[in-house]
């Protein structure tokens, strides 16, 4: 069982399910369970997995890439993962016919940004300064896919702030991972290496302060019970990332920071059913 969980983690399946769970949470801001579009949630899951597999396979083509356990796993099973990649793309192509027009346009825009991003990251070496933009670009694309599809259905100021906090939390998560990778591999080049360890810690703390301040404000002023639950989940997400940052050395052991850091996106399971 533990071996299967580790394989799922190396394949980023926990990230995939986390994206789908968060997407359901955001859809429920305006829709009932019966109205939530399954086709959009499925294509989101496949798309996230495609991006993660493709990103790692392309990373492995760089001679200067710092080899992590995940990169080694993807290199070892490159042929099987390439087949999975092709099948996932076929499923996404089929699901496109079931998407509403506005979601389709957003999907095309997100795909275009992702394609440019993957092309540029593959074009430049691991030491290139462009790698420093990986975290904010990834956070933006991830938020566009997970949150923006729902706000097109029903826009409101509370939902806008829900999305802003989710973007901050996603960036906080990626910066924390970069910081942890830097501590494990001092030769790696990422945003944490560019900003430095101390500044990266300060930014992680600052994001938590912002998320908690805005979240508690909207919980206090918003009379909608479900919105308050969503804000609370987001506060909890950011707080857990803050704890990982403050006690980083403990979470570096056996890559606990990744297990817990990716696991926060499954927290909406407590409120979506």
């Amino acid at each position: 069982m533990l071996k299967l969980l580790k394989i799922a983690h190396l394949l980023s399946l926990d990230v995939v399910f986390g994206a789908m769970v968060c997407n359901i949470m955001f859809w429920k801001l305006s829709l009932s369970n019966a109205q939530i579009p399954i086709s959009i949630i499925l294509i989101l899951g496949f798309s996230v997995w495609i991006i993660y597999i493709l990103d790692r396979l392309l990373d492995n083509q760089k001679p200067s890439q710092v080899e992590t356990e995940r990169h080694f796993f993807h290199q070892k099973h490159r042929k099987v993962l390439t087949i999975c990649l092709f099948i996932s793309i076929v499923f996404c192509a089929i699901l496109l016919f079931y998407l509403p027009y506005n979601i389709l346009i957003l999907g095309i825009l997100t795909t275009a940004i992702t394609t440019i991003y993957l092309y540029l990251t593959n074009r430049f070496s691991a030491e290139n300064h462009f790698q420093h933009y990986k975290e904010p670009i990834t956070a933006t694309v991830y938020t566009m896919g997970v949150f923006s599809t729902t706000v097109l259905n029903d826009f409101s100021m509370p939902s806008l702030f829900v999305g802003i906090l989710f973007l901050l939390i996603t960036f906080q998560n990626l910066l924390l991972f970069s910081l942890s990778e830097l501590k494990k591999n001092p030769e790696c080049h990422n945003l944490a290496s560019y900003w430095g360890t101390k500044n990266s810690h300060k930014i992680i703390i600052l994001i938590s302060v912002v998320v908690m301040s805005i979240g508690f404000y909207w919980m206090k002023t918003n009379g909608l019970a479900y919105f308050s639950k969503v804000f609370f989940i987001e506060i909890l997400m950011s707080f857990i990332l803050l704890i990982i940052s403050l006690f980083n050395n403990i979470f570096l052991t056996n890559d606990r920071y990744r297990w817990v850091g990716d696991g926060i996106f499954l927290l909406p399971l407590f409120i979506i059913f």
Side-chain angles (χ1 to χ4, degrees):
M1 183 64 179
L2 288 175
K3 187 176 181 180
L4 287 175
L5 286 174
K6 185 171 183 179
I7 292 173
H9 184 64
L10 290 172
L11 287 170
S12 299
L13 291 179
D14 48 349
V15 178
V16 172
F17 289 120
M20 296 169 72
V21 166
C22 287
N23 190 237
I24 294 171
M25 175 179 73
F26 295 139
W27 275 112
K28 284 175 66 67
L29 291 171
S30 59
L31 298 176
S32 66
N33 288 331
Q35 297 172 306
I36 293 174
I38 302 300
S39 59
I40 296 176
I41 296 168
L42 288 175
I43 200 170
L44 171 66
F46 279 118
S47 299
V48 170
W49 201 37
I50 288 170
I51 292 170
Y52 269 79
I53 292 176
L54 199 54
D55 186 40
R56 299 235 166 77
L57 292 179
L58 291 174
D59 273 349
N60 285 333
Q61 303 304 310
K62 302 173 186 175
S64 55
Q65 175 65 39
V66 176
E67 194 173 81
T68 65
E69 186 179 11
R70 289 186 180 218
H71 286 94
F72 176 76
F73 180 86
H74 281 67
Q75 182 62 31
K76 182 179 179 181
H77 303 284
R78 180 173 55 85
K79 291 183 179 180
V80 175
L81 289 172
T82 301
I83 295 172
C84 291
L85 186 66
F86 176 76
I87 294 173
S88 298
I89 291 173
V90 171
F91 271 113
C92 282
I94 294 171
L95 289 169
L96 285 176
F97 294 98
Y98 297 91
L99 297 184
Y101 179 75
N102 58 347
I103 301 295
L104 184 61
I105 296 300
L106 177 64
I108 293 172
L109 177 61
T110 306
T111 302
I113 295 173
T114 304
T115 302
I116 294 170
Y117 156 74
L118 289 172
Y119 170 77
L120 291 175
T121 53
N122 187 50
R123 181 180 176 85
F124 298 118
S125 68
E127 293 94 349
N128 192 280
H129 289 300
F130 179 77
Q131 303 299 333
H132 300 151
Y133 301 100
K134 187 172 184 177
E135 288 79 4
I137 293 173
T138 304
T140 301
V141 171
Y142 187 80
T143 303
M144 286 178 67
V146 175
F147 173 77
S148 297
T149 53
T150 65
V151 80
L152 288 176
N153 179 66
D154 184 29
F155 176 81
S156 66
M157 283 305 294
S159 64
L160 175 62
F161 276 93
V162 164
I164 291 172
L165 295 192
F166 188 74
L167 174 62
L168 289 174
I169 292 165
T170 304
F171 176 68
Q172 183 185 23
N173 172 274
L174 293 170
L175 180 58
L176 174 63
F177 282 15
S178 291
L179 180 62
S180 301
E181 284 296 331
L182 179 62
K183 289 184 176 181
K184 292 183 66 177
N185 304 295
E187 68 274 17
C188 74
H189 295 267
N190 55 33
L191 189 58
S193 67
Y194 179 68
W195 280 347
T197 303
K198 289 185 179 180
N199 287 333
S200 297
H201 271 297
K202 289 178 181 177
I203 292 170
I204 290 171
I205 294 170
L206 177 62
I207 292 174
S208 284
V209 171
V210 172
V211 170
M212 291 178 189
S213 299
I214 295 176
F216 280 123
Y217 169 79
W218 279 102
M219 285 177 64
K220 184 178 180 181
T221 59
N222 197 327
L224 300 174
Y226 184 72
F227 265 98
S228 295
K229 291 180 181 178
V230 173
F231 279 119
F232 178 75
I233 288 295
E234 291 188 323
I235 290 170
L236 188 57
M237 286 179 169
S238 186
F239 179 73
I240 291 172
L241 294 176
L242 176 62
I243 294 299
I244 297 173
S245 176
L246 293 176
F247 301 96
N248 200 229
N249 290 333
I250 296 175
F251 286 93
L252 284 176
T253 305
N254 298 323
D255 285 347
R256 290 171 186 161
Y257 70 93
R258 282 195 174 275
W259 286 90
V260 181
D262 287 338
I264 66 167
F265 295 100
L266 295 171
L267 288 174
L269 286 170
F270 289 106
I271 66 170
I272 63 176
F273 296 112

